[in-house]
Each structure stands twice: as structure tokens, then as C-alpha cells.
Amino acid sequence: MRAGVVVTAHPGVEDLAVQAEELGLHSFWLNDTPMVHGDPFIALALCAKATSRIRLGIGVTSPALRSAPAAASAFASLNALAPGRIICGIGTGNTARRTLGMRPTTAATMENFTTALQNLCAGRTIEYREGDRVRNVRFLHTGAHANTADPIEFVVAALGPKAAAVAGRRGTGLISFGLLDPTAWQALHDARRHAAHETPRNPDSRMDSYVVTALHMLDEDEDPRGDAARDATGHIVLSLLAFAADTAADAHAFADQLGPEEREAVRRLLDRRGTTATAPDRHTKLYPNYLERIAPEDRDLILPSLMDTLALVGTHNDLRARITTLEQAGIDELLIQPVIDPPTEMAQLAKLLT
């Protein structure tokens, strides 16, 4: 299995990209969450100039954040800096929209956006619509400004069959956050495969599968539920609890699918942040420090059940066994999101997969 890393955009992130490349990692990704982290396109441009081999991804952007022409311009510009090394991740904007207090877009809108980006980034013309006005648009000046000659890899963010079907129809890869269940991956691959039969695709398009998680390799006799393990995986667990808290008042609330202990953690999180599941400003309380190192006082929310479900914690042999199972489920690349000591965690990942 290949290995990669996902981090947040910040000054100096290009140094991490250089280290990832030197370690032999396959890809380096940045989140696109505008009101939480820095701008990933600016940061990834610095990474493109500082590296020569590693693939560079946005994981993920959304039609709810950027218009297709603006997004295509950004990706084609990156492709001019790092020809053939760019990965365009696309999703409904589940996190990026919720951090604005808004709902994510639909799978259908995401599919239209994906189609438009694929065509524009390949130098083709699309119909661009704003209200009742429709115009044909394409890049008017390519080459040094915007590279539409070298291919860009496209991946769709999916946790369920609707988004996976979009990937099948558009001939793209899949990326999923915290999904370490081989059975769930089999369902995604089945949905993508079924949809792929409906639409002819470019046989040269990549359809790789990526999973984003956290990794903590235990020292000898280390407690797998200790502070170090909770700190290394807490950002992944808290992201799920924040989503459950944010949507707890919905008709089909995600929190209702959780067990009693997990639902209690959601309740404690809301109380601790001083908000409720119906407060219109709850996004301002639930998402600060999103996907960053957790505060020590929040360690009790990092439940072992969620650590086991969303992250990889174990000895070298334990981790190798789980990774082998994921590889057998059809996952091509393991992406970790390190927050404690990124250089060390990237080195552990590289060692684990060699």
C-alpha cells in the first residue's frame, strides 16, 4: 500500500512537503476549510515549487466554496507548477460548509461540478450557468499560465453509495475520512463499479482509493488508551463528535446511530462548548481548532470505541495486520493526518509501509 499525508495549510508547510518527499511518501494533501485553516491553493503552490516528485492534493474542495471556472484556474495553475502531480479532491463540502453554519451541497451538484472541472482542466469547453444566463466558457490562454495538457487526478469524497456512484460515473478515485471498515469500503467500491457501467469513461483515468486517518504506533508496554494515543488520534475523534453534535437536532441525526457512551460524549461536548444542537451560532463553538491538537481537558471525550473505529493505534505488527486488511479491501493509499509531531509521524508511516 502507498502512503501519504494530509495537513492544514500554514506558513512553512512546504518544508513538511519536502520531508514527505524525502521519506518516499507518495502524496501530500491540504484541507480546504476556509474559515478554519489557511488557503490550500496558496500553500500547495509553495509545495509545488519546493518539491519535484511527490503528488500534491487538495482534500477536498467543493462547489459550495468555489465556482467551476475559479477552481479550474487554481488547479490548472498548480498543474503548471507541478505538471502531472496534482490531485483534485471534490466533495459536498460537509465540513467546509458546516464551519460556516451552512448545509453541504448535494451529490448531484457535486457531480456537475466534477464534470465541469474535468472538462475545463482538460482544455475543453463547458456550459457555465449563472441563474438564467448560460455561456460557453473555456481557458482562453493556456500553457505557461494554465496547464491543461498534463493530466490531473480527480477523486470524490465518499462515505456512502451516492457519492461513490458519482465517482463511478465520472471515472474518478475515492477518498474517505476515518473509514477503516473493510465491509464499508467494499460497499463503496460496489457502488462505484455499478455506476461505472452506466457511463463510458477514459480508460486512462485513475480510480484509486484513499483513506484518511490518524496513526499512533505504540512503544513497548505503552497503554493504547493513554494520553499519547488519545492526543495522536483525538482530532479525528473530535471531528466526528462535532459533526454529531452539529446535526443532533436533524430528523435523521447521525448521533442517533451512535451507542449510549458516544451519545453521552456528544452531549458533554455541547455542554463543554457552551452551545446546543439548535443554536444558530453553534458552528462558532464546535469547530474552532478543528483537526488540530486537542486540549488536555478534552481527552475524556476520546473514547476507545471511536479510536478503534476511526484511527490506527497499535504495535508495529498490529498496524501491519490492519493495513493489510485495508489493502485487501481495495484501498490503494493510506493518508495520515499528523498533529503531534508531523515529521516523526510521517517517518513512522514510511517505515511501516516499507
Side-chain angles (χ1 to χ4, degrees):
M1 183 185 288
R2 301 190 311 253
V5 64
V6 184
V7 296
T8 58
H10 60 273
V13 72
E14 66 273 21
D15 296 333
L16 278 180
V18 170
Q19 293 173 33
E21 182 170 85
E22 290 173 346
L23 287 167
L25 299 186
H26 181 260
S27 64
F28 188 86
W29 303 63
L30 295 176
N31 300 122
D32 191 10
T33 314
M35 292 295 99
V36 182
H37 305 127
D39 187 272
F41 290 95
I42 292 174
L44 212 60
L46 295 174
C47 296
K49 295 293 287 183
T51 60
S52 61
R53 178 199 57 79
I54 197 166
R55 297 180 68 81
L56 304 169
I58 299 289
V60 296
T61 195
S62 165
L65 296 177
R66 308 172 193 276
S67 70
S73 178
F75 281 106
S77 297
L78 286 172
N79 202 26
L81 294 174
R85 291 198 284 137
I86 303 304
I87 310 173
C88 169
I90 302 170
T92 59
N94 188 52
T95 300
R97 291 285 289 169
R98 292 189 186 282
T99 57
L100 302 175
M102 301 295 173
R103 297 287 185 177
T105 190
T106 64
T109 301
M110 178 180 68
E111 182 166 4
N112 291 336
F113 183 70
T114 303
T115 304
L117 280 188
Q118 287 176 310
N119 285 320
L120 287 172
C121 288
R124 295 187 287 268
T125 298
I126 68 163
E127 283 191 346
Y128 176 64
R129 179 185 298 273
E130 289 188 5
D132 295 331
R133 177 171 289 191
V134 181
R135 295 290 185 269
N136 289 337
V137 301
R138 60 178 174 80
F139 279 109
L140 302 179
H141 193 172
T142 59
H145 297 75
N147 179 1
T148 60
D150 291 290
I152 290 174
E153 180 182 356
F154 288 86
V155 298
V156 165
L159 285 172
K162 284 186 178 179
V166 171
R169 286 190 292 270
R170 297 312 314 156
T172 76
L174 291 171
I175 186 169
S176 199
F177 184 87
L179 191 67
L180 300 179
D181 179 1
T183 302
W185 269 102
Q186 186 60 56
L188 291 185
H189 288 143
D190 288 346
R192 179 174 63 175
R193 191 179 304 111
H194 178 75
H197 290 309
E198 303 173 7
T199 307
R201 67 177 183 88
N202 182 351
D204 296 326
S205 61
R206 298 178 64 126
M207 296 183 69
D208 288 350
S209 295
Y210 301 82
V211 64
V212 182
T213 185
L215 174 74
H216 182 67
M217 189 179 300
L218 297 172
D219 293 330
E220 187 176 356
D221 298 326
E222 181 183 347
D223 181 2
R225 310 296 185 230
D227 288 351
R230 291 173 188 261
D231 288 348
T233 62
H235 57 300
I236 301 289
V237 173
L238 274 187
S239 70
L240 180 138
L241 293 178
F243 170 72
D246 190 16
T247 59
D250 290 357
H252 302 286
F254 173 73
D256 294 341
Q257 304 173 35
L258 301 175
E261 187 181 18
E262 290 78 14
R263 291 198 299 273
E264 173 61 18
V266 171
R267 187 196 65 77
R268 294 206 313 273
L269 177 63
L270 285 165
D271 288 347
R272 194 167 297 178
R273 298 297 186 261
T275 190
T276 69
T278 57
D281 67 343
R282 62 187 181 276
H283 62 287
T284 65
K285 308 292 180 60
L286 290 172
Y287 293 107
N289 205 43
Y290 185 77
L291 290 178
E292 300 289 350
R293 184 168 183 165
I294 66 167
E297 57 267 28
D298 285 334
R299 285 176 180 148
D300 63 303
L301 298 174
I302 312 307
L303 304 179
S305 60
L306 295 178
M307 293 169 65
D308 292 341
T309 300
L310 301 171
L312 295 173
V313 178
T315 64
H316 183 278
N317 289 339
D318 294 335
L319 295 174
R320 280 297 313 162
R322 288 195 72 182
I323 290 169
T324 297
T325 301
L326 294 173
E327 190 170 22
Q328 291 170 346
I331 297 175
D332 299 289
E333 187 159 341
L334 177 68
L335 304 173
I336 66 162
Q337 186 136 30
V339 297
I340 305 301
D341 182 358
T344 299
E345 292 174 71
M346 290 192 304
Q348 287 181 336
L349 176 65
K351 184 177 180 181
L352 187 65
L353 294 183
T354 55

